[in-house]
Structure formats: structure tokens, C-alpha cells
Amino acid sequence: MASERLNPSQRGYGRRWRAFARRFADEWIAAGQPCALCGQAMRSTSWVDVDHIAPLVEEPERMFDPMNLRVAHHHCHARRTAQDRAAAERGYRLGVGSDGLPTDDAHPFNRGEVNKCK
Ligand SMILES: [Zn+2]
């Protein structure tokens, strides 16, 4: 399943996005909100990323939707992106529901391929 990886500008991350994301991250940090991925505090000097909760490839119209955005440390986001990509290559998506269980029916847990807690 080889797909062409577009560069950031081609994917819509142009000047407008960068200005929007910078402001969104500044407001997030000024409000004292922690990293959305590790829960640790963030500083104005932290290298942070603004992440789309619902992937843009699935919901491109939510690019600037504040309800679809979260701020995370760059290193946390990079690790999560790598995990997401690895899962996608194995045919499923990461993510859990409010019950803590994987939401994707294709996840190995939901296919009964890993040991469930008794
Ligand atoms: Zn973090």
C-alpha cells in the first residue's frame, strides 16, 4: 500500500496554518493546559506541535476546527505519529474509547488476536 507522501504545503500546512497553529499553541500553553499526549506541563519555550485529533486525510474540512485540535510536545507527537503509521501499515488505527478498549474493529485486540483480561 504505497502512497505518495505530499510535502506539508501540499497537504495544506501553508502560511495560514502556521500562523493559526502558533496562536492556538500559545493560547493553549497560556491557559496552563498540559501536553495532550503525555499530560506533562508545557512551557512557552517548549517545542510543541498542534495535532489533528481526527486525521486530516479523513476530515480535511476540520483543519481549523478548534474542537479537532490538541497541543502536544513535539517529541510526544512524533512518537505518536510513528506509532499511528506503524499501526496503519499493519491495517488498523490506534485509539481507545471511554471504556479504554481499542475502537477500531480491525485492531488485533478486537479480532481476538491478543490475550484479553479475564
Ligand atoms: Zn508530551
Side-chain angles (χ1 to χ4, degrees):
M1 201 171 74
S3 64
E4 289 285 319
R5 185 97 182 126
L6 301 175
N7 74 38
S9 288
Q10 289 168 322
R11 284 184 285 134
Y13 293 97
R15 185 180 305 157
R16 181 178 168 220
W17 165 256
R18 290 196 301 274
F20 179 88
R22 180 73 261 163
R23 194 167 58 241
F24 189 87
D26 285 347
E27 289 171 0
W28 181 286
I29 294 166
Q33 298 201 79
C35 170
L37 295 176
C38 75
Q40 300 293 307
M42 301 207 290
R43 304 166 196 271
S44 58
T45 54
S46 298
W47 182 8
V48 303
D49 289 344
V50 177
D51 180 38
H52 289 93
I53 298 166
L56 265 194
V57 290
E58 292 170 21
E59 301 187 38
E61 71 282 2
R62 299 186 70 191
M63 176 126 199
F64 295 95
D65 177 0
M67 297 304 293
N68 191 40
L69 298 172
R70 61 187 174 185
V71 181
H73 295 114
H74 174 75
H75 63 271
C76 294
H77 184 224
R79 184 168 54 227
R80 177 57 185 257
T81 300
Q83 291 170 341
D84 284 346
R85 206 161 287 165
E89 285 171 8
R90 292 192 294 266
Y92 60 91
R93 293 209 340 236
L94 297 177
V96 295
S98 56
D99 57 3
L101 299 176
T103 52
D104 188 344
D105 289 340
H107 189 283
F109 182 87
N110 292 328
R111 293 193 310 234
E113 293 175 11
V114 292
N115 293 330
K116 297 187 180 184
C117 298
K118 302 225 166 49

